[in-house]
Amino acid sequence: MELMCIFKLCQLPQQMAEKTEEILYVEISEMDYLLICNVKDLRKEIGLTQLQLSQKMKLADGFVSKVETFTERAKYNIRHLPLLAKALDCEIYDLFPKQIPKNDQVKLTLLRTNRVNRDGSVSTKKVTEVIKIEPIR
């Protein structure tokens, strides 16, 4: 009986997670959305991870991840602007999007799927992608 339990425990890590898809809807100010996207682009341009940016800002490790996935309530605010500018080695005005928002609020349609590992297996971690942006009138 004990051998069977040990065998099951050994097999557990080799099992793959099931690939799942989930559609979520989020309402957000268009200015917040554009700011988050611009900061993400700046972060990627200089090769910083979400974790590294959070740490350079001296915030919780998962803060930037929560902001960039749009599924959490976390957003950048006025207090974050000088921290972002210093961490990204730019001026505060560089953080703002080049385009002027056309709408006050927008509805984001998000697709959440499992991340795929380098070896092709399915991870339990989720990836969130914006698949549609609609104005809220």
Side-chain angles (χ1 to χ4, degrees):
M1 195 71 133
E2 285 181 35
L3 285 176
M4 204 161 93
C5 291
I6 291 170
F7 177 73
K8 285 182 182 178
L9 286 174
C10 291
Q11 292 299 313
L12 201 66
Q14 295 174 355
Q15 293 175 347
M16 283 200 230
E18 278 188 42
K19 186 158 185 154
T20 58
E21 287 189 352
E22 180 181 14
I23 299 287
L24 300 167
Y25 301 94
V26 174
E27 292 184 7
I28 185 173
S29 86
E30 188 172 16
M31 184 64 193
D32 280 335
Y33 172 73
L34 294 172
L35 176 70
I36 292 165
C37 291
N38 196 53
V39 168
K40 181 178 179 177
D41 290 343
L42 291 169
R43 174 183 66 75
K44 287 182 165 187
E45 274 179 33
I46 64 171
L48 284 181
T49 65
Q50 293 171 336
L51 174 62
Q52 289 168 327
L53 180 55
S54 292
Q55 290 174 340
K56 282 184 133 202
M57 294 172 67
K58 296 185 178 16
L59 298 173
D61 285 352
F63 178 74
V64 173
S65 174
K66 288 178 180 180
V67 170
E68 290 184 5
T69 60
F70 301 109
T71 57
E72 303 282 335
R73 293 182 59 122
K75 294 189 182 51
Y76 298 125
N77 63 39
I78 295 294
R79 183 182 80 83
H80 296 128
L81 296 179
L83 300 174
L84 283 164
K86 183 177 179 185
L88 295 169
D89 193 28
C90 67
E91 299 296 327
I92 289 177
Y93 60 79
D94 295 324
L95 301 172
F96 291 99
K98 306 301 178 237
Q99 67 188 83
I100 296 172
K102 295 180 180 104
N103 306 287
D104 178 37
Q105 298 279 311
V106 291
K107 180 172 125 181
L108 304 179
T109 304
L110 308 173
L111 175 64
R112 284 182 50 105
T113 56
N114 295 77
R115 178 173 285 148
V116 177
N117 297 320
R118 288 187 183 126
D119 65 2
S121 63
V122 178
S123 172
T124 55
K125 292 188 178 185
K126 300 283 186 179
V127 176
T128 305
E129 175 186 358
V130 177
I131 57 173
K132 189 175 183 184
I133 304 167
E134 301 171 87
I136 297 176
R137 305 250 182 238

